[in-house]
Amino acid sequence: MDKSNGKKKLKISVFISGRGTNLKSIINFSKKKNSLIEVNLVISDNKKAKGLNFAKKNKIRFLIVNYKKKNIAENKILTNLKKCKIDFICLAGFMKILSKKFINNYKGKILNIHPSLLPKYKGLNTHKRVIMNKEKFTGCTVHMVNSKLDSGKIIFQKKIKVLKNDNEKKLEKRLLNIENRIYPIAIKKFINFNL
Ligand code: GRF
């Protein structure tokens, strides 16, 4: 296990399905001086996920998992997580829903980022719904994962104004920058209070 300032680094695994900007921000955070974490394993259910390039660039182990049979896929992931002695998991745009059994294996050790002010707007197409409903505010949330979709304890949340000329795309872009900033903050908070 790597050490930083005499402290053992926590090993984390990041799960992605696509672009991977949050993965990138977590990797950058892990490379900071005295960082408490190291990204040890990237999991993707999509072999074409752009985010895999960040793993490759940084020489981080990655595993592409065929999700045709969820049970088999999850068992394969679990085996690899245990092999790498992963301490906790960050979901970052991972488009598969984890089973209860999987979550129980890492109870209280799975984080997710969601592009809305949870508990509002769980699920997909959050920005579209926010615009349609003429919301004045929106935001993003890092939360714990439990067996109900987007419903676990909130770790960190950032609220922003919806601007007059915002559309789905503009909002997504603005919020993604904020997501990338808050994920490391939430990880720090999670470590301080839970590990
Ligand atoms: C983010 O908007 C995240 O909130 C959602 O999926 C998107 C992933 O983006 N769960 P990226 O792959 O990290 O760029």
Side-chain angles (χ1 to χ4, degrees), residues 16-23 91-95 112-115 127 140 172 176 179-180:
I16 62 167
S17 295
R19 185 175 50 188
T21 62
N22 284 296
L23 166 65
L91 306 182
F94 187 60
M95 297 305 284
N112 181 41
I113 187 153
H114 184 76
H127 307 307
C140 48
E172 191 202 335
L176 190 63
E179 285 187 40
N180 297 162

Side-chain angles (χ1 to χ4, degrees), residues 10-61:
L10 295 161
K11 291 175 189 279
I12 75 167
S13 175
V14 183
F15 289 23
I16 62 167
S17 295
R19 185 175 50 188
T21 62
N22 284 296
L23 166 65
K24 184 181 174 198
S25 118
I26 295 170
I27 294 174
N28 287 341
F29 174 60
S30 76
K31 287 175 12 187
K32 289 212 163 137
K33 208 176 155 206
N34 297 338
S35 149
L36 296 171
I37 58 159
E38 64 184 22
V39 181
N40 226 259
L41 180 64
V42 172
I43 302 284
S44 175
D45 64 311
N46 170 15
K47 63 173 188 250
K48 292 189 179 146
K50 275 197 182 155
L52 286 169
N53 290 325
F54 299 121
K56 290 177 193 163
K57 246 193 227 162
N58 289 281
K59 301 197 169 50
I60 296 169
R61 232 170 303 181

Side-chain angles (χ1 to χ4, degrees), residues 29 36 183-193:
F29 174 60
L36 296 171
Y183 216 149
I185 297 173
I187 290 174
K188 242 195 236 169
K189 198 171 166 195
F190 168 75
I191 294 172
N192 284 340
F193 287 98

